[in-house]
Amino acid sequence: MGRRLCIYFSWSRPQEFAAPLHMLDNRYPNLFEFRRAIWPFYEHASDPNEYNQDISGFLDHVILSDFSAFEEVVHSQTGNRVSLLQREGGSPPVQQLDDTLLADVDTLIVVSLDHFRTNQVASLGEVDCIRSFLRRENACLIVCPHHDVGEANTIEEREIQHRHHGDILVPGQQRIGGFARSLLDQLGFPIENRWGLSPGRDVAGEPAQLLFDNNALTESGILSGVQTFNLHPHLPHLWVPPNLSSKVTVLARQPINTMATRHPYVDAGHRDFNAFLHIGPGDERAGHIFVCDATLWSSVFGGVKSLRQLWANVANF
């Protein structure tokens, strides 16, 4: 049998569900709002007897269902089913990371779709268990935050960012990925997910070709044969502290949409953003750490052919 993969959703479902609907910022839409915004594409989920129309329905039937194609590729490559775990489910106990959970895992994918306001922070025990996990030579940790939209203090600045990505489902402020930041910081790599940038397209409307630095493709092999990622409307720049530039390799950068409206990051002269990072073995680590966006395991934002190559690479890493 091949490698054993686990996708770990680091959110608190009860806290995500409990966000009051009068609050626009820093919550997910409920399923009813989602259906209304993109009508008629999700009308198969309109029956309240089968699909909860609240935030739980959005998480279960929109987000979690997006990972099924990735699971199929991994199963076909390894013969093993992908384990899907959530840090805090609808009822106790809380499933925090521990040695027992990771005993049968070779590749751990931390999908950090938790809002900052829910304060999902890796405990000392969880960090110790990840450090122990990374002492294995075959270990692979992939940490996946999502966007940090609207961190600016004024509505005017937030509106500029909102118009840049143009997704009406995203409020003026939606800060996601707190657990990822916490985990990376405590591992000694305080990488931050910044902004929500509109990705570039080619003339056919497909994702623009990724930009690779010299030797990046051969450093780990995880992006071998991968040409593009996806067209999720708002993707983060994975900021690396300057003092870590010798330890963190930017494997791939993604072009920014030149047709989108202005954005502070673009105004500063940037035309692409860090999309895939690698931290190789070192110190006490024998395993590898990668950092990328959470939507790279989804099949609904285009670029699926290339993404399937990425998924196969991860399955066989």
Side-chain angles (χ1 to χ4, degrees):
M1 298 289 280
R3 292 180 65 85
R4 300 159 298 177
L5 278 72
C6 174
I7 296 181
Y8 183 77
F9 294 90
S10 59
W11 54 31
S12 166
R13 286 173 63 95
Q15 290 193 71
E16 298 294 352
F17 297 170
L21 296 185
H22 73 270
M23 180 178 77
L24 294 181
D25 291 339
N26 295 307
R27 73 166 173 89
Y28 286 112
N30 59 48
L31 185 58
F32 172 79
E33 292 171 316
F34 179 74
R35 287 176 40 232
R36 182 173 185 175
I38 67 166
W39 185 88
F41 299 106
Y42 245 76
E43 283 310 279
H44 68 273
S46 62
D47 186 349
N49 295 314
E50 294 187 38
Y51 300 89
N52 290 334
Q53 299 298 303
D54 57 10
I55 292 175
S56 73
F58 177 80
L59 295 189
D60 290 337
H61 304 303
V62 178
I63 293 183
L64 292 179
S65 65
D66 284 352
F67 292 78
S68 58
F70 169 72
E71 295 174 58
E72 292 171 4
V73 170
V74 171
H75 183 239
S76 69
Q77 293 287 320
T78 67
N80 296 319
R81 295 291 181 185
V82 178
S83 299
L84 297 178
L85 298 174
Q86 301 181 68
R87 189 164 195 264
E88 187 172 345
S91 60
V94 173
Q95 183 65 70
Q96 292 199 356
L97 295 168
D98 58 30
D99 292 332
T100 301
L101 186 156
L102 294 177
D104 296 322
V105 173
D106 299 309
T107 297
L108 175 66
I109 302 175
V110 177
V111 175
S112 187
L113 291 172
D114 49 287
H115 283 89
F116 285 13
R117 65 170 180 79
T118 67
N119 197 33
Q120 297 306 294
V121 176
S123 69
L124 291 178
E126 288 179 303
V127 175
D128 285 344
C129 124
I130 289 293
R131 287 197 178 107
S132 178
F133 171 72
L134 288 170
R135 291 190 188 104
R136 303 185 213 161
E137 287 190 5
N138 69 333
C140 178
L141 170 67
I142 307 178
V143 183
C144 309
H146 192 31
H147 60 243
D148 180 6
V149 169
E151 84 300 331
N153 292 323
T154 69
I155 290 181
E156 289 77 14
E157 291 173 295
R158 292 179 186 176
E159 183 179 1
I160 289 172
Q161 294 186 35
H162 185 78
R163 290 184 179 278
H164 171 80
H165 67 71
D167 187 349
I168 62 173
L169 282 166
V170 173
Q173 184 180 81
Q174 189 174 48
R175 310 195 70 182
I176 293 174
F179 186 84
R181 284 196 183 190
S182 166
L183 179 59
L184 288 167
D185 184 30
Q186 294 185 74
L187 290 174
F189 300 99
I191 294 161
E192 296 180 2
N193 54 318
R194 293 185 175 179
W195 314 115
L197 297 160
S198 176
R201 302 168 180 257
D202 64 18
V203 293
E206 296 296 319
Q209 292 278 315
L210 294 170
L211 305 172
F212 302 106
D213 292 332
N214 292 335
N215 302 321
L217 288 181
T218 59
E219 178 170 309
S220 69
I222 201 166
L223 294 183
S224 178
V226 178
Q227 298 297 319
T228 64
F229 286 155
N230 65 27
L231 286 174
H232 189 87
H234 23 80
L235 295 170
H237 166 60
L238 301 172
W239 176 80
V240 179
N243 65 307
L244 292 179
S245 60
S246 64
K247 293 184 176 181
V248 181
T249 301
V250 180
L251 293 186
R253 290 170 290 116
Q254 191 158 355
I256 298 171
N257 180 7
T258 59
M259 302 302 293
T261 59
R262 60 182 293 254
H263 185 282
Y265 186 69
V266 178
D267 291 347
H270 301 283
R271 297 298 177 263
D272 52 64
F273 57 90
N274 296 348
F276 210 101
L277 311 179
H278 177 226
I279 303 165
D283 301 323
E284 297 182 353
R285 298 182 316 279
H288 295 258
I289 303 173
F290 298 96
V291 185
C292 62
D293 180 66
T295 65
L296 293 196
W297 320 111
S298 170
S299 59
V300 298
F301 302 108
V304 174
K305 181 179 179 181
S306 187
L307 287 177
R308 284 183 177 273
Q309 181 62 58
L310 170 65
W311 302 342
N313 293 347
V314 169
N316 294 298
F317 184 74

